[in-house]
Amino acid sequence: MNHATGPRTTDVQSGYRAEFAVGEHSARHLRGILRLYLAGSGLDGVTDAAELALTELVANVVRHVPGRRCCICFLLQPGGVRVEVADRCPELPVRAAGDALAEGGRGLVLVAAVTDRWGVTVRPDGRGKTVWFECLAAGGFGRQPPASALGQVQDVGLGRRLHGQRLVEGAE
């Protein structure tokens, strides 16, 4: 029988990055990778929320991004994790406004409900975006997010702008 074992805490790197085309089963595999990283970093307490939010972001790529190509990045920080899903589709995700009987449209509502922060960062050239979220364990890295591994500039989801490596609150 095959089984996967996670890295020991001392073996865990601070990030994971992969670019590929995703399909219907990709979320399951990515959840497994994320779970191993979180367990190896002692962040088991955020695993369920991070896995659910990751599943929703990957499902959005499968449903809405032509070619289904994306880049996934997990950034481990002391006391938390930031997950980024970047694609080359310029259309921004929209939180559902409403139909309670609709089959879909609740993904970003779930992401907002189970994560500490989330947002959308537009590429400087306007040809794509990064949808990201952060899950913090008690006493996590606080309200200042780590710099994006993918280097985008405008944080649309929270109405803030990135200036250099720093997130500036309330910038227009």
Side-chain angles (χ1 to χ4, degrees), residues 20 32 52 58 66 76 93 97 103 108 117 119 126 135 147-148 163 166:
F20 45 86
L52 176 57
V58 171
L76 300 174
E103 283 187 31
L108 294 177
R117 300 182 65 224
C135 291
S148 170
H163 296 280
R166 218 173 102 239

Side-chain angles (χ1 to χ4, degrees), residues 16-119:
Y16 169 85
R17 185 175 191 266
E19 188 169 345
F20 45 86
V22 293
E24 287 80 13
H25 301 290
S26 299
R28 176 176 45 131
H29 300 293
L30 289 166
R31 282 192 310 265
I33 295 167
L34 179 59
R35 184 179 316 113
L36 291 174
Y37 266 82
L38 294 174
S41 297
L43 294 171
D44 300 275
V46 301
T47 301
D48 291 340
E51 285 185 20
L52 176 57
L54 173 63
T55 299
E56 294 301 331
L57 297 189
V58 171
N60 282 348
V61 171
V62 170
R63 286 187 194 109
H64 303 293
V65 174
R68 299 178 173 182
R69 292 205 63 81
C70 68
C71 180
I72 309 285
C73 185
F74 306 148
L75 298 168
L76 300 174
Q77 302 293 321
V81 64
R82 178 180 174 109
V83 175
E84 300 179 350
V85 179
D87 62 61
R88 296 266 182 194
C89 182
E91 294 178 33
L92 298 178
V94 179
R95 281 174 44 170
D99 185 357
L101 300 177
E103 283 187 31
R106 292 177 197 80
L108 294 177
V109 174
L110 286 172
V111 170
V114 301
T115 63
D116 292 287
R117 300 182 65 224
W118 77 279

Side-chain angles (χ1 to χ4, degrees), residues 4 73 100 116 125 152 154:
C73 185
D116 292 287
D125 61 10
Q152 284 75 20
Q154 184 182 13

